[in-house]
PDB file of all heavy atoms in Angstrom:
ATOM      1  N   PHE A 256      -3.627   7.648   2.358  1.00 98.00           N
ATOM      2  CA  PHE A 256      -2.659   7.004   3.242  1.00 98.00           C
ATOM      3  C   PHE A 256      -1.246   7.094   2.675  1.00 98.00           C
ATOM      4  O   PHE A 256      -1.034   6.954   1.464  1.00 98.00           O
ATOM      5  CB  PHE A 256      -3.044   5.536   3.443  1.00 98.00           C
ATOM      6  CG  PHE A 256      -2.152   4.792   4.394  1.00 98.00           C
ATOM      7  CD1 PHE A 256      -2.142   5.098   5.741  1.00 98.00           C
ATOM      8  CD2 PHE A 256      -1.318   3.778   3.938  1.00 98.00           C
ATOM      9  CE1 PHE A 256      -1.326   4.417   6.624  1.00 98.00           C
ATOM     10  CE2 PHE A 256      -0.507   3.082   4.806  1.00 98.00           C
ATOM     11  CZ  PHE A 256      -0.499   3.400   6.160  1.00 98.00           C
ATOM     12  N   ASP A 257      -0.280   7.329   3.576  1.00 98.00           N
ATOM     13  CA  ASP A 257       1.133   7.336   3.210  1.00 98.00           C
ATOM     14  C   ASP A 257       1.665   5.908   3.359  1.00 98.00           C
ATOM     15  O   ASP A 257       1.920   5.440   4.473  1.00 98.00           O
ATOM     16  CB  ASP A 257       1.902   8.292   4.117  1.00 98.00           C
ATOM     17  CG  ASP A 257       3.384   8.375   3.776  1.00 98.00           C
ATOM     18  OD1 ASP A 257       3.843   7.614   2.881  1.00 98.00           O
ATOM     19  OD2 ASP A 257       4.092   9.174   4.401  1.00 98.00           O
ATOM     20  N   PHE A 258       1.839   5.219   2.239  1.00 98.00           N
ATOM     21  CA  PHE A 258       2.237   3.808   2.292  1.00 98.00           C
ATOM     22  C   PHE A 258       3.683   3.611   2.737  1.00 98.00           C
ATOM     23  O   PHE A 258       4.066   2.496   3.099  1.00 98.00           O
ATOM     24  CB  PHE A 258       1.975   3.143   0.937  1.00 98.00           C
ATOM     25  CG  PHE A 258       0.517   2.849   0.703  1.00 98.00           C
ATOM     26  CD1 PHE A 258      -0.338   3.829   0.214  1.00 98.00           C
ATOM     27  CD2 PHE A 258      -0.014   1.614   1.015  1.00 98.00           C
ATOM     28  CE1 PHE A 258      -1.689   3.580   0.026  1.00 98.00           C
ATOM     29  CE2 PHE A 258      -1.364   1.342   0.830  1.00 98.00           C
ATOM     30  CZ  PHE A 258      -2.204   2.330   0.335  1.00 98.00           C
ATOM     31  N   THR A 259       4.478   4.670   2.751  1.00 98.00           N
ATOM     32  CA  THR A 259       5.824   4.541   3.302  1.00 98.00           C
ATOM     33  C   THR A 259       5.751   4.271   4.803  1.00 98.00           C
ATOM     34  O   THR A 259       6.646   3.638   5.370  1.00 98.00           O
ATOM     35  CB  THR A 259       6.653   5.809   3.050  1.00 98.00           C
ATOM     36  OG1 THR A 259       6.020   6.935   3.665  1.00 98.00           O
ATOM     37  CG2 THR A 259       6.810   6.076   1.565  1.00 98.00           C
ATOM     38  N   GLN A 260       4.683   4.737   5.444  1.00 98.00           N
ATOM     39  CA  GLN A 260       4.500   4.517   6.876  1.00 98.00           C
ATOM     40  C   GLN A 260       4.384   3.023   7.177  1.00 98.00           C
ATOM     41  O   GLN A 260       5.021   2.508   8.103  1.00 98.00           O
ATOM     42  CB  GLN A 260       3.252   5.258   7.350  1.00 98.00           C
ATOM     43  CG  GLN A 260       2.983   5.146   8.847  1.00 98.00           C
ATOM     44  CD  GLN A 260       1.714   5.876   9.255  1.00 98.00           C
ATOM     45  OE1 GLN A 260       1.074   6.546   8.442  1.00 98.00           O
ATOM     46  NE2 GLN A 260       1.332   5.745  10.516  1.00 98.00           N
ATOM     47  N   ALA A 261       3.563   2.322   6.406  1.00 98.00           N
ATOM     48  CA  ALA A 261       3.398   0.885   6.613  1.00 98.00           C
ATOM     49  C   ALA A 261       4.686   0.130   6.270  1.00 98.00           C
ATOM     50  O   ALA A 261       5.074  -0.807   6.974  1.00 98.00           O
ATOM     51  CB  ALA A 261       2.239   0.366   5.774  1.00 98.00           C
ATOM     52  N   ALA A 262       5.342   0.529   5.191  1.00 98.00           N
ATOM     53  CA  ALA A 262       6.584  -0.135   4.791  1.00 98.00           C
ATOM     54  C   ALA A 262       7.653   0.017   5.865  1.00 98.00           C
ATOM     55  O   ALA A 262       8.372  -0.945   6.190  1.00 98.00           O
ATOM     56  CB  ALA A 262       7.072   0.431   3.465  1.00 98.00           C
ATOM     57  N   SER A 263       7.763   1.210   6.429  1.00 98.00           N
ATOM     58  CA  SER A 263       8.760   1.458   7.483  1.00 98.00           C
ATOM     59  C   SER A 263       8.432   0.679   8.745  1.00 98.00           C
ATOM     60  O   SER A 263       9.331   0.133   9.400  1.00 98.00           O
ATOM     61  CB  SER A 263       8.827   2.954   7.792  1.00 98.00           C
ATOM     62  OG  SER A 263       9.237   3.689   6.665  1.00 98.00           O
ATOM     63  N   SER A 264       7.149   0.601   9.079  1.00 98.00           N
ATOM     64  CA  SER A 264       6.738  -0.126  10.270  1.00 98.00           C
ATOM     65  C   SER A 264       7.068  -1.613  10.155  1.00 98.00           C
ATOM     66  O   SER A 264       7.526  -2.237  11.123  1.00 98.00           O
ATOM     67  CB  SER A 264       5.235   0.062  10.488  1.00 98.00           C
ATOM     68  OG  SER A 264       4.805  -0.621  11.648  1.00 98.00           O
ATOM     69  N   LEU A 265       6.872  -2.177   8.972  1.00 98.00           N
ATOM     70  CA  LEU A 265       7.208  -3.589   8.768  1.00 98.00           C
ATOM     71  C   LEU A 265       8.704  -3.810   8.843  1.00 98.00           C
ATOM     72  O   LEU A 265       9.180  -4.839   9.358  1.00 98.00           O
ATOM     73  CB  LEU A 265       6.656  -4.063   7.422  1.00 98.00           C
ATOM     74  CG  LEU A 265       5.138  -4.254   7.355  1.00 98.00           C
ATOM     75  CD1 LEU A 265       4.691  -4.498   5.935  1.00 98.00           C
ATOM     76  CD2 LEU A 265       4.686  -5.405   8.261  1.00 98.00           C
ATOM     77  N   ARG A 266       9.484  -2.862   8.326  1.00 98.00           N
ATOM     78  CA  ARG A 266      10.941  -2.989   8.418  1.00 98.00           C
ATOM     79  C   ARG A 266      11.381  -2.996   9.886  1.00 98.00           C
ATOM     80  O   ARG A 266      12.255  -3.777  10.288  1.00 98.00           O
ATOM     81  CB  ARG A 266      11.631  -1.858   7.666  1.00 98.00           C
ATOM     82  CG  ARG A 266      13.160  -1.941   7.702  1.00 98.00           C
ATOM     83  CD  ARG A 266      13.808  -0.812   6.950  1.00 98.00           C
ATOM     84  NE  ARG A 266      13.631  -0.954   5.512  1.00 98.00           N
ATOM     85  CZ  ARG A 266      14.376  -1.728   4.740  1.00 98.00           C
ATOM     86  NH1 ARG A 266      15.351  -2.470   5.274  1.00 98.00           N
ATOM     87  NH2 ARG A 266      14.160  -1.793   3.451  1.00 98.00           N
ATOM     88  N   GLU A 267      10.783  -2.123  10.672  1.00 97.00           N
ATOM     89  CA  GLU A 267      11.111  -2.071  12.098  1.00 97.00           C
ATOM     90  C   GLU A 267      10.748  -3.367  12.802  1.00 97.00           C
ATOM     91  O   GLU A 267      11.362  -3.736  13.811  1.00 97.00           O
ATOM     92  CB  GLU A 267      10.386  -0.895  12.750  1.00 97.00           C
ATOM     93  CG  GLU A 267      10.905   0.464  12.293  1.00 97.00           C
ATOM     94  CD  GLU A 267      10.041   1.609  12.772  1.00 97.00           C
ATOM     95  OE1 GLU A 267       9.062   1.343  13.527  1.00 97.00           O
ATOM     96  OE2 GLU A 267      10.322   2.767  12.412  1.00 97.00           O
ATOM     97  N   ALA A 268       9.750  -4.074  12.258  1.00 97.00           N
ATOM     98  CA  ALA A 268       9.334  -5.354  12.844  1.00 97.00           C
ATOM     99  C   ALA A 268      10.181  -6.522  12.339  1.00 97.00           C
ATOM    100  O   ALA A 268       9.937  -7.674  12.707  1.00 97.00           O
ATOM    101  CB  ALA A 268       7.868  -5.620  12.529  1.00 97.00           C
ATOM    102  N   GLY A 269      11.171  -6.241  11.481  1.00 96.00           N
ATOM    103  CA  GLY A 269      12.070  -7.282  11.013  1.00 96.00           C
ATOM    104  C   GLY A 269      11.838  -7.768   9.606  1.00 96.00           C
ATOM    105  O   GLY A 269      12.586  -8.605   9.100  1.00 96.00           O
ATOM    106  N   GLN A 270      10.781  -7.254   8.951  1.00 97.00           N
ATOM    107  CA  GLN A 270      10.518  -7.622   7.558  1.00 97.00           C
ATOM    108  C   GLN A 270      11.320  -6.668   6.658  1.00 97.00           C
ATOM    109  O   GLN A 270      11.011  -5.488   6.566  1.00 97.00           O
ATOM    110  CB  GLN A 270       9.030  -7.515   7.244  1.00 97.00           C
ATOM    111  CG  GLN A 270       8.135  -8.430   8.065  1.00 97.00           C
ATOM    112  CD  GLN A 270       8.411  -9.892   7.838  1.00 97.00           C
ATOM    113  OE1 GLN A 270       9.053 -10.520   8.664  1.00 97.00           O
ATOM    114  NE2 GLN A 270       7.944 -10.443   6.742  1.00 97.00           N
ATOM    115  N   THR A 271      12.335  -7.181   6.011  1.00 97.00           N
ATOM    116  CA  THR A 271      13.250  -6.317   5.245  1.00 97.00           C
ATOM    117  C   THR A 271      13.212  -6.604   3.745  1.00 97.00           C
ATOM    118  O   THR A 271      14.022  -6.073   2.993  1.00 97.00           O
ATOM    119  CB  THR A 271      14.691  -6.473   5.752  1.00 97.00           C
ATOM    120  OG1 THR A 271      15.073  -7.856   5.655  1.00 97.00           O
ATOM    121  CG2 THR A 271      14.809  -6.011   7.193  1.00 97.00           C
ATOM    122  N   GLY A 272      12.263  -7.437   3.321  1.00 96.00           N
ATOM    123  CA  GLY A 272      12.196  -7.793   1.908  1.00 96.00           C
ATOM    124  C   GLY A 272      11.422  -6.779   1.089  1.00 96.00           C
ATOM    125  O   GLY A 272      11.233  -5.617   1.486  1.00 96.00           O
ATOM    126  N   SER A 273      10.959  -7.209  -0.057  1.00 96.00           N
ATOM    127  CA  SER A 273      10.277  -6.336  -1.008  1.00 96.00           C
ATOM    128  C   SER A 273       8.932  -5.863  -0.452  1.00 96.00           C
ATOM    129  O   SER A 273       8.231  -6.597   0.246  1.00 96.00           O
ATOM    130  CB  SER A 273      10.039  -7.074  -2.326  1.00 96.00           C
ATOM    131  OG  SER A 273      11.257  -7.495  -2.899  1.00 96.00           O
ATOM    132  N   VAL A 274       8.572  -4.618  -0.791  1.00 98.00           N
ATOM    133  CA  VAL A 274       7.259  -4.083  -0.455  1.00 98.00           C
ATOM    134  C   VAL A 274       6.277  -4.517  -1.542  1.00 98.00           C
ATOM    135  O   VAL A 274       6.491  -4.258  -2.731  1.00 98.00           O
ATOM    136  CB  VAL A 274       7.279  -2.555  -0.354  1.00 98.00           C
ATOM    137  CG1 VAL A 274       5.877  -2.019  -0.074  1.00 98.00           C
ATOM    138  CG2 VAL A 274       8.238  -2.110   0.739  1.00 98.00           C
ATOM    139  N   ARG A 275       5.220  -5.179  -1.134  1.00 98.00           N
ATOM    140  CA  ARG A 275       4.244  -5.703  -2.078  1.00 98.00           C
ATOM    141  C   ARG A 275       2.854  -5.352  -1.569  1.00 98.00           C
ATOM    142  O   ARG A 275       2.549  -5.533  -0.392  1.00 98.00           O
ATOM    143  CB  ARG A 275       4.410  -7.216  -2.234  1.00 98.00           C
ATOM    144  CG  ARG A 275       5.875  -7.624  -2.497  1.00 98.00           C
ATOM    145  CD  ARG A 275       6.049  -9.110  -2.682  1.00 98.00           C
ATOM    146  NE  ARG A 275       5.427  -9.548  -3.926  1.00 98.00           N
ATOM    147  CZ  ARG A 275       5.270 -10.835  -4.244  1.00 98.00           C
ATOM    148  NH1 ARG A 275       5.644 -11.787  -3.392  1.00 98.00           N
ATOM    149  NH2 ARG A 275       4.719 -11.165  -5.388  1.00 98.00           N
ATOM    150  N   VAL A 276       2.019  -4.851  -2.464  1.00 98.00           N
ATOM    151  CA  VAL A 276       0.694  -4.362  -2.079  1.00 98.00           C
ATOM    152  C   VAL A 276      -0.364  -5.259  -2.707  1.00 98.00           C
ATOM    153  O   VAL A 276      -0.279  -5.611  -3.894  1.00 98.00           O
ATOM    154  CB  VAL A 276       0.497  -2.903  -2.519  1.00 98.00           C
ATOM    155  CG1 VAL A 276      -0.860  -2.383  -2.052  1.00 98.00           C
ATOM    156  CG2 VAL A 276       1.610  -2.019  -1.960  1.00 98.00           C
ATOM    157  N   VAL A 277      -1.356  -5.626  -1.917  1.00 98.00           N
ATOM    158  CA  VAL A 277      -2.414  -6.524  -2.387  1.00 98.00           C
ATOM    159  C   VAL A 277      -3.760  -6.012  -1.898  1.00 98.00           C
ATOM    160  O   VAL A 277      -3.829  -5.192  -0.979  1.00 98.00           O
ATOM    161  CB  VAL A 277      -2.193  -7.972  -1.884  1.00 98.00           C
ATOM    162  CG1 VAL A 277      -0.809  -8.475  -2.275  1.00 98.00           C
ATOM    163  CG2 VAL A 277      -2.362  -8.053  -0.371  1.00 98.00           C
ATOM    164  N   GLY A 278      -4.836  -6.499  -2.501  1.00 95.00           N
ATOM    165  CA  GLY A 278      -6.133  -6.141  -1.967  1.00 95.00           C
ATOM    166  C   GLY A 278      -7.296  -6.398  -2.899  1.00 95.00           C
ATOM    167  O   GLY A 278      -7.144  -6.434  -4.118  1.00 95.00           O
ATOM    168  N   ASN A 279      -8.443  -6.589  -2.268  1.00 92.00           N
ATOM    169  CA  ASN A 279      -9.734  -6.616  -2.953  1.00 92.00           C
ATOM    170  C   ASN A 279     -10.255  -5.192  -2.859  1.00 92.00           C
ATOM    171  O   ASN A 279     -10.848  -4.793  -1.860  1.00 92.00           O
ATOM    172  CB  ASN A 279     -10.671  -7.613  -2.261  1.00 92.00           C
ATOM    173  CG  ASN A 279     -12.095  -7.555  -2.767  1.00 92.00           C
ATOM    174  OD1 ASN A 279     -12.374  -7.024  -3.840  1.00 92.00           O
ATOM    175  ND2 ASN A 279     -13.016  -8.095  -1.981  1.00 92.00           N
ATOM    176  N   LEU A 280      -9.994  -4.382  -3.891  1.00 90.00           N
ATOM    177  CA  LEU A 280     -10.248  -2.952  -3.791  1.00 90.00           C
ATOM    178  C   LEU A 280     -11.723  -2.624  -3.999  1.00 90.00           C
ATOM    179  O   LEU A 280     -12.375  -3.191  -4.882  1.00 90.00           O
ATOM    180  CB  LEU A 280      -9.429  -2.189  -4.842  1.00 90.00           C
ATOM    181  CG  LEU A 280      -7.909  -2.341  -4.775  1.00 90.00           C
ATOM    182  CD1 LEU A 280      -7.251  -1.361  -5.744  1.00 90.00           C
ATOM    183  CD2 LEU A 280      -7.380  -2.131  -3.362  1.00 90.00           C
ATOM    184  N   PRO A 281     -12.252  -1.691  -3.210  1.00 84.00           N
ATOM    185  CA  PRO A 281     -13.615  -1.209  -3.467  1.00 84.00           C
ATOM    186  C   PRO A 281     -13.701  -0.639  -4.879  1.00 84.00           C
ATOM    187  O   PRO A 281     -12.872   0.188  -5.269  1.00 84.00           O
ATOM    188  CB  PRO A 281     -13.807  -0.108  -2.410  1.00 84.00           C
ATOM    189  CG  PRO A 281     -12.807  -0.432  -1.340  1.00 84.00           C
ATOM    190  CD  PRO A 281     -11.640  -1.025  -2.050  1.00 84.00           C
ATOM    191  N   TYR A 282     -14.669  -1.086  -5.640  1.00 84.00           N
ATOM    192  CA  TYR A 282     -14.725  -0.707  -7.052  1.00 84.00           C
ATOM    193  C   TYR A 282     -14.969   0.786  -7.252  1.00 84.00           C
ATOM    194  O   TYR A 282     -14.559   1.362  -8.252  1.00 84.00           O
ATOM    195  CB  TYR A 282     -15.812  -1.514  -7.763  1.00 84.00           C
ATOM    196  CG  TYR A 282     -15.534  -3.004  -7.799  1.00 84.00           C
ATOM    197  CD1 TYR A 282     -16.536  -3.914  -8.099  1.00 84.00           C
ATOM    198  CD2 TYR A 282     -14.255  -3.507  -7.520  1.00 84.00           C
ATOM    199  CE1 TYR A 282     -16.284  -5.293  -8.122  1.00 84.00           C
ATOM    200  CE2 TYR A 282     -14.007  -4.863  -7.538  1.00 84.00           C
ATOM    201  CZ  TYR A 282     -15.016  -5.752  -7.839  1.00 84.00           C
ATOM    202  OH  TYR A 282     -14.761  -7.099  -7.861  1.00 84.00           O
ATOM    203  N   ASN A 283     -15.619   1.429  -6.264  1.00 84.00           N
ATOM    204  CA  ASN A 283     -15.948   2.841  -6.432  1.00 84.00           C
ATOM    205  C   ASN A 283     -14.750   3.767  -6.235  1.00 84.00           C
ATOM    206  O   ASN A 283     -14.830   4.955  -6.535  1.00 84.00           O
ATOM    207  CB  ASN A 283     -17.086   3.247  -5.483  1.00 84.00           C
ATOM    208  CG  ASN A 283     -16.780   2.944  -4.029  1.00 84.00           C
ATOM    209  OD1 ASN A 283     -15.881   2.172  -3.704  1.00 84.00           O
ATOM    210  ND2 ASN A 283     -17.533   3.548  -3.132  1.00 84.00           N
ATOM    211  N   ILE A 284     -13.630   3.249  -5.732  1.00 90.00           N
ATOM    212  CA  ILE A 284     -12.441   4.098  -5.562  1.00 90.00           C
ATOM    213  C   ILE A 284     -11.211   3.516  -6.254  1.00 90.00           C
ATOM    214  O   ILE A 284     -10.101   4.027  -6.074  1.00 90.00           O
ATOM    215  CB  ILE A 284     -12.112   4.329  -4.074  1.00 90.00           C
ATOM    216  CG1 ILE A 284     -11.723   3.008  -3.389  1.00 90.00           C
ATOM    217  CG2 ILE A 284     -13.268   5.014  -3.359  1.00 90.00           C
ATOM    218  CD1 ILE A 284     -11.011   3.196  -2.073  1.00 90.00           C
ATOM    219  N   SER A 285     -11.378   2.461  -7.038  1.00 94.00           N
ATOM    220  CA  SER A 285     -10.210   1.750  -7.562  1.00 94.00           C
ATOM    221  C   SER A 285      -9.329   2.627  -8.446  1.00 94.00           C
ATOM    222  O   SER A 285      -8.093   2.632  -8.296  1.00 94.00           O
ATOM    223  CB  SER A 285     -10.632   0.492  -8.313  1.00 94.00           C
ATOM    224  OG  SER A 285     -11.518   0.797  -9.364  1.00 94.00           O
ATOM    225  N   SER A 286      -9.918   3.394  -9.359  1.00 95.00           N
ATOM    226  CA  SER A 286      -9.100   4.207 -10.263  1.00 95.00           C
ATOM    227  C   SER A 286      -8.315   5.284  -9.524  1.00 95.00           C
ATOM    228  O   SER A 286      -7.091   5.396  -9.690  1.00 95.00           O
ATOM    229  CB  SER A 286      -9.956   4.819 -11.372  1.00 95.00           C
ATOM    230  OG  SER A 286     -10.460   3.808 -12.223  1.00 95.00           O
ATOM    231  N   PRO A 287      -8.965   6.120  -8.678  1.00 96.00           N
ATOM    232  CA  PRO A 287      -8.177   7.108  -7.945  1.00 96.00           C
ATOM    233  C   PRO A 287      -7.155   6.493  -7.005  1.00 96.00           C
ATOM    234  O   PRO A 287      -6.078   7.075  -6.778  1.00 96.00           O
ATOM    235  CB  PRO A 287      -9.222   7.931  -7.188  1.00 96.00           C
ATOM    236  CG  PRO A 287     -10.465   7.123  -7.204  1.00 96.00           C
ATOM    237  CD  PRO A 287     -10.416   6.306  -8.452  1.00 96.00           C
ATOM    238  N   LEU A 288      -7.445   5.322  -6.463  1.00 97.00           N
ATOM    239  CA  LEU A 288      -6.483   4.672  -5.582  1.00 97.00           C
ATOM    240  C   LEU A 288      -5.249   4.213  -6.360  1.00 97.00           C
ATOM    241  O   LEU A 288      -4.110   4.353  -5.893  1.00 97.00           O
ATOM    242  CB  LEU A 288      -7.142   3.490  -4.868  1.00 97.00           C
ATOM    243  CG  LEU A 288      -6.281   2.736  -3.862  1.00 97.00           C
ATOM    244  CD1 LEU A 288      -5.644   3.673  -2.848  1.00 97.00           C
ATOM    245  CD2 LEU A 288      -7.118   1.673  -3.149  1.00 97.00           C
ATOM    246  N   LEU A 289      -5.454   3.677  -7.548  1.00 98.00           N
ATOM    247  CA  LEU A 289      -4.319   3.276  -8.379  1.00 98.00           C
ATOM    248  C   LEU A 289      -3.459   4.483  -8.748  1.00 98.00           C
ATOM    249  O   LEU A 289      -2.224   4.385  -8.792  1.00 98.00           O
ATOM    250  CB  LEU A 289      -4.826   2.578  -9.641  1.00 98.00           C
ATOM    251  CG  LEU A 289      -5.461   1.202  -9.429  1.00 98.00           C
ATOM    252  CD1 LEU A 289      -6.166   0.740 -10.698  1.00 98.00           C
ATOM    253  CD2 LEU A 289      -4.423   0.182  -8.989  1.00 98.00           C
ATOM    254  N   VAL A 290      -4.092   5.612  -8.997  1.00 97.00           N
ATOM    255  CA  VAL A 290      -3.341   6.839  -9.289  1.00 97.00           C
ATOM    256  C   VAL A 290      -2.580   7.295  -8.040  1.00 97.00           C
ATOM    257  O   VAL A 290      -1.414   7.700  -8.119  1.00 97.00           O
ATOM    258  CB  VAL A 290      -4.286   7.942  -9.796  1.00 97.00           C
ATOM    259  CG1 VAL A 290      -3.533   9.267  -9.953  1.00 97.00           C
ATOM    260  CG2 VAL A 290      -4.901   7.534 -11.139  1.00 97.00           C
ATOM    261  N   HIS A 291      -3.218   7.228  -6.875  1.00 98.00           N
ATOM    262  CA  HIS A 291      -2.562   7.598  -5.618  1.00 98.00           C
ATOM    263  C   HIS A 291      -1.313   6.754  -5.380  1.00 98.00           C
ATOM    264  O   HIS A 291      -0.268   7.260  -4.943  1.00 98.00           O
ATOM    265  CB  HIS A 291      -3.547   7.436  -4.464  1.00 98.00           C
ATOM    266  CG  HIS A 291      -2.958   7.662  -3.104  1.00 98.00           C
ATOM    267  ND1 HIS A 291      -2.435   8.869  -2.696  1.00 98.00           N
ATOM    268  CD2 HIS A 291      -2.795   6.804  -2.053  1.00 98.00           C
ATOM    269  CE1 HIS A 291      -1.988   8.769  -1.450  1.00 98.00           C
ATOM    270  NE2 HIS A 291      -2.195   7.520  -1.039  1.00 98.00           N
ATOM    271  N   LEU A 292      -1.398   5.471  -5.683  1.00 98.00           N
ATOM    272  CA  LEU A 292      -0.272   4.568  -5.445  1.00 98.00           C
ATOM    273  C   LEU A 292       0.919   4.851  -6.359  1.00 98.00           C
ATOM    274  O   LEU A 292       2.036   4.409  -6.068  1.00 98.00           O
ATOM    275  CB  LEU A 292      -0.732   3.118  -5.618  1.00 98.00           C
ATOM    276  CG  LEU A 292      -1.557   2.555  -4.452  1.00 98.00           C
ATOM    277  CD1 LEU A 292      -2.289   1.294  -4.873  1.00 98.00           C
ATOM    278  CD2 LEU A 292      -0.657   2.266  -3.252  1.00 98.00           C
ATOM    279  N   LEU A 293       0.699   5.592  -7.436  1.00 97.00           N
ATOM    280  CA  LEU A 293       1.814   5.914  -8.338  1.00 97.00           C
ATOM    281  C   LEU A 293       2.941   6.633  -7.614  1.00 97.00           C
ATOM    282  O   LEU A 293       4.117   6.460  -7.958  1.00 97.00           O
ATOM    283  CB  LEU A 293       1.323   6.781  -9.500  1.00 97.00           C
ATOM    284  CG  LEU A 293       0.789   6.064 -10.728  1.00 97.00           C
ATOM    285  CD1 LEU A 293       0.168   7.066 -11.696  1.00 97.00           C
ATOM    286  CD2 LEU A 293       1.894   5.270 -11.419  1.00 97.00           C
TER     287      LEU A 293
END
């Protein structure tokens, strides 16, 4: 997933503050997902 897409969509909806990512990550993909988020 391109996380800039979600960040831009929230800005268009009026949310202009900091981008913050949260989640209960599936353990079987946690390491590659953390690398992807880099």
Side-chain angles (χ1 to χ4, degrees):
F256 183 68
D257 181 355
F258 284 84
T259 60
Q260 182 181 355
S263 298
S264 181
L265 287 171
R266 181 180 289 278
E267 292 171 3
Q270 299 297 102
T271 57
S273 300
V274 177
R275 311 181 68 190
V276 183
V277 305
N279 171 18
L280 301 189
Y282 296 164
N283 56 343
I284 65 163
S285 57
S286 294
L288 182 52
L289 291 169
V290 174
H291 175 63
L292 284 164
L293 272 172

